[in-house]
Amino acid sequence: KAAMAARSCYDHRQQRRCILVAFTSLAFAGSEVAVIGQRPFRSLGLAYAYNQEKTLRARPPRSLSSTSATGAAAAEIEKLTHHKALWDESEPLSRARRKLKPRHRALFGPSITDTDEDTSLSLFNEFCTVLCDTGVMPRKEIFETWSAALYIHETFGDKVRRVCDVAAGHSLLAWALLVLDDNDNGNVDTPLTVLCVDRRMPPSAEAIRLAMLDRWPHLEERFDFVEGSLEQLQPHSSCLLASVHACGGLSDLLIASAASTASPIALVPCCHTRKQKALLGASDYARAEYDAIINANEVKDLTAMLDEAREAALRNAGFDICTQYLPKRFTLKNRIIMGMPRNTDQNNDISSSDTLIPPGRMPPIEIDISLAKANFLSRFTIPCEDSEGARSIIEELSGKTNAERRKKALHRKGNAETPTFDISFWLPPGDEMDKAQDKWEVSLSKFASSVRPNVRCDAKQIGKEFINSSGRRARAFRLSYWYETDGEENGDELTNDEAKAIHTEIYAELP
């Protein structure tokens, strides 16, 4: 009867393989359980390994280390579930999503009712007080993100010193990890650094950045936010890929990228879907599991099946896995999957290993040179590697100002960093027509730069010299314009309209 009940409950997990499991009671404390089956099966928090005698021997879930994230982090999260700032469970969820304002600071301050247990949350209270001043963060997101950060910090804190917060949004996870690391390891030689990546840096992220730096100014050089697409991301084994509530197929893309580049990962999946389009980037390390999900006529527990497929991909790629759960009071999508590759030498780029899936950006894109955007995206990448060279590249890409410069370049001719216009003219007769290309470029650059003070121009010849039937010669040049102040270039200050007006003046001045 137990076997038949198990089949009716779990047959949908592997319809083609028909796994039968005989359960013991919920008070199971033995070392074996009878089974009829064909493969390992996970149930009741225990991992089972099938053997030749058709028994499954119980063993603890595989963890990242002998001290997995179940100690101090779990205790701290338990205290959060009794925090006085929590919303009433009987109230609609919309109330939990309301943003904290300065008037809510009192919810995170000390009071005469505080116990010794409550005062241990002082760092969380201080973190939330800073967020209250910004007025941009929903209460629910703060509790769930801090809980995830506690697990991640305890699991990876002494193993990884760089974190990439993918689809960062408000960048709340990155700041929580920074504050936790700074509180525990403020004097270490290799402090944690974080890189946030998202298509757009929202105003809320900038507000939080300013508020956090006002409270912890020494963290400024350890935080970067780069506006970019996931196509440009280059994961590395020395950097932890992290994301809280990575929606839909993004979770599978992150798992696939971590598996193919042996990058540590901490992921809270969200918005589970089995649409084939969303799972195109799923890892080949769990292709059978993903195909079973896509091809099944009916899936009764899609969330569990997808998350188990993601864990299988990491496990098959040689990762140690630790799975934890955030309090359901904070979020129903509460599973956090953490994986660390075994025997990883962080001094080497293991993404070149022949044993891995062919590496690439996440996900790889085929650049069509006819598309301006794709051509622009191919011009820079976002390296995650924890090295001085990679961090220098990130520093040049980081921030809203640099992002705006790249967006302007996207709409300029040739995706140029500065306003660019073309000009062509007939060459003068005589010896002047025999000037070499570089001499013409230098002469035209000097002439164009003399038209307006503090405006500089760089001329580059386009194509070859044109000669008509009468023997007259013509050349075309592309002119780039920028402001120069005290000997330093400042291309951001010169708009397209200003450059066009200057270009018109230069055209009129040409003999």
Side-chain angles (χ1 to χ4, degrees):
K1 290 183 178 179
M4 295 304 296
R7 177 174 183 174
S8 64
C9 292
Y10 289 93
D11 203 17
H12 68 277
R13 293 178 182 267
Q14 295 288 341
Q15 289 188 346
R16 298 178 180 178
R17 301 185 183 183
C18 189
I19 300 175
L20 302 180
V21 179
F23 286 101
T24 61
S25 67
L26 292 178
F28 172 77
S31 60
E32 296 183 359
V33 59
V35 71
I36 305 172
Q38 300 175 352
R39 57 173 295 174
F41 191 78
R42 184 184 296 271
S43 173
L44 298 178
L46 298 173
Y48 296 97
Y50 185 65
N51 63 22
Q52 293 181 352
E53 290 78 24
K54 294 186 178 181
T55 61
L56 290 178
R57 299 188 179 276
R59 59 180 174 82
R62 179 183 294 158
S63 62
L64 292 167
S65 66
S66 58
T67 56
S68 60
T70 57
E76 198 76 6
I77 292 172
E78 174 62 23
K79 296 174 188 176
L80 288 179
T81 61
H82 304 289
H83 198 283
K84 59 185 178 183
L86 275 178
W87 53 95
D88 191 335
E89 289 186 276
S90 62
E91 297 176 341
L93 190 59
S94 59
R95 185 173 181 83
R97 291 179 175 147
R98 292 180 182 176
K99 296 176 181 177
L100 291 177
K101 301 294 182 181
R103 69 176 183 271
H104 296 120
R105 288 170 58 98
L107 295 174
F108 303 96
S111 69
I112 59 175
T113 61
D114 282 343
T115 65
D116 292 338
E117 183 180 19
D118 295 328
T119 55
S120 65
L121 296 174
S122 58
L123 185 62
F124 172 72
N125 289 334
E126 187 175 9
F127 184 77
C128 291
T129 300
V130 174
L131 293 174
C132 286
D133 292 337
T134 67
V136 298
M137 281 306 304
R139 188 178 316 195
K140 175 179 178 294
E141 290 190 31
I142 296 175
F143 276 86
E144 64 192 22
T145 303
W146 185 265
S147 299
L150 285 171
Y151 276 136
I152 295 171
H153 174 65
E154 185 171 86
T155 305
F156 297 97
D158 58 343
K159 302 177 181 67
V160 180
R161 304 311 297 159
R162 185 160 180 80
V163 176
C164 178
D165 185 359
V166 184
H170 307 295
S171 68
L172 193 61
L173 176 63
W175 282 113
L177 292 172
L178 273 181
V179 170
L180 285 169
D181 182 81
D182 183 67
N183 184 67
D184 290 349
N185 307 300
N187 297 320
V188 297
D189 296 331
T190 55
L192 182 74
T193 59
V194 297
L195 162 64
C196 296
V197 177
D198 211 330
R199 291 181 179 273
R200 174 177 170 267
M201 182 178 182
S204 59
E206 179 64 13
I208 292 174
R209 186 185 74 87
L210 294 176
M212 291 294 172
L213 292 180
D214 185 59
R215 171 58 187 85
W216 293 282
H218 58 284
L219 299 180
E220 182 173 9
E221 294 184 356
R222 296 164 57 182
F223 175 87
D224 289 294
F225 197 121
V226 176
E227 283 194 8
S229 297
L230 295 181
E231 294 94 334
Q232 297 164 297
L233 196 66
Q234 292 185 323
H236 192 270
S237 59
S238 61
C239 178
L240 170 70
L241 296 177
S243 186
V244 173
H245 288 174
C247 292
L250 175 59
S251 293
D252 301 287
L253 288 173
L254 286 172
I255 291 290
S257 180
S260 64
T261 60
S263 301
I265 185 170
L267 173 69
V268 180
C270 185
C271 305
H272 297 71
T273 178
R274 68 187 186 113
K275 291 182 179 179
Q276 189 169 0
K277 183 177 181 180
L279 298 179
L280 286 177
S283 174
D284 285 340
Y285 281 112
R287 179 50 54 193
E289 287 82 353
Y290 279 111
D291 287 345
I293 293 172
I294 294 173
N295 298 326
N297 294 328
E298 181 182 2
V299 175
K300 297 180 180 179
D301 193 350
L302 178 62
T303 298
M305 289 186 68
L306 267 178
D307 288 343
E308 288 174 6
R310 291 157 180 166
E311 292 180 8
L314 294 176
R315 189 176 298 109
N316 294 338
F319 281 64
D320 285 329
I321 307 298
C322 178
T323 302
Q324 299 296 334
Y325 293 87
L326 308 179
K328 287 189 176 181
R329 177 81 181 273
F330 301 161
T331 176
L332 296 178
K333 299 294 185 180
N334 62 340
R335 184 188 303 222
I336 177 169
I337 302 171
M338 295 174 285
M340 171 68 81
R342 303 190 199 101
N343 302 323
T344 299
D345 182 4
Q346 293 189 355
N347 294 323
N348 298 321
D349 184 2
I350 63 175
S351 63
S352 61
S353 172
D354 294 335
T355 62
L356 300 175
I357 298 174
R361 297 173 190 167
M362 183 185 65
I365 59 172
E366 297 179 1
I367 301 299
D368 183 351
I369 59 175
S370 65
L371 299 177
K373 182 176 181 180
N375 191 29
F376 172 73
L377 291 177
S378 68
R379 296 182 61 190
F380 77 96
T381 57
I382 307 174
C384 297
E385 183 179 359
D386 188 11
S387 66
E388 184 176 351
R391 289 193 297 270
S392 297
I393 295 174
I394 292 299
E395 186 177 352
E396 295 178 357
L397 298 173
S398 178
K400 197 68 177 178
T401 300
N402 289 327
E404 291 299 326
R405 180 187 291 115
R406 294 194 296 272
K407 288 179 182 178
K408 289 179 181 178
L410 180 61
H411 300 288
R412 294 192 184 115
K413 186 176 298 182
N415 304 140
E417 294 291 337
T418 57
T420 303
F421 295 93
D422 296 343
I423 191 170
S424 62
F425 50 85
W426 294 107
L427 302 181
D431 295 338
E432 290 293 323
M433 63 185 291
D434 296 324
K435 280 186 178 181
Q437 173 180 328
D438 59 340
K439 293 183 178 180
W440 273 109
E441 290 174 347
V442 171
S443 298
L444 185 56
S445 296
K446 289 182 177 179
F447 173 78
S449 298
S450 66
V451 174
R452 286 274 190 97
N454 297 330
V455 174
R456 295 295 173 259
C457 176
D458 181 46
K460 296 294 181 182
Q461 182 171 323
I462 306 172
K464 298 180 179 179
E465 186 177 81
F466 170 77
I467 304 177
N468 71 356
S469 57
S470 64
R472 293 189 68 186
R473 299 177 180 234
R475 293 188 183 183
F477 296 86
R478 179 158 292 167
L479 279 61
S480 301
Y481 299 92
W482 69 91
Y483 276 131
E484 184 180 63
T485 305
D486 298 329
E488 296 182 358
E489 296 181 11
N490 190 348
D492 281 342
E493 295 184 5
L494 190 62
T495 66
N496 248 33
D497 291 339
E498 292 172 330
K500 186 174 183 180
I502 296 171
H503 189 74
T504 303
E505 290 184 32
I506 293 174
Y507 184 81
E509 292 288 336
L510 281 174

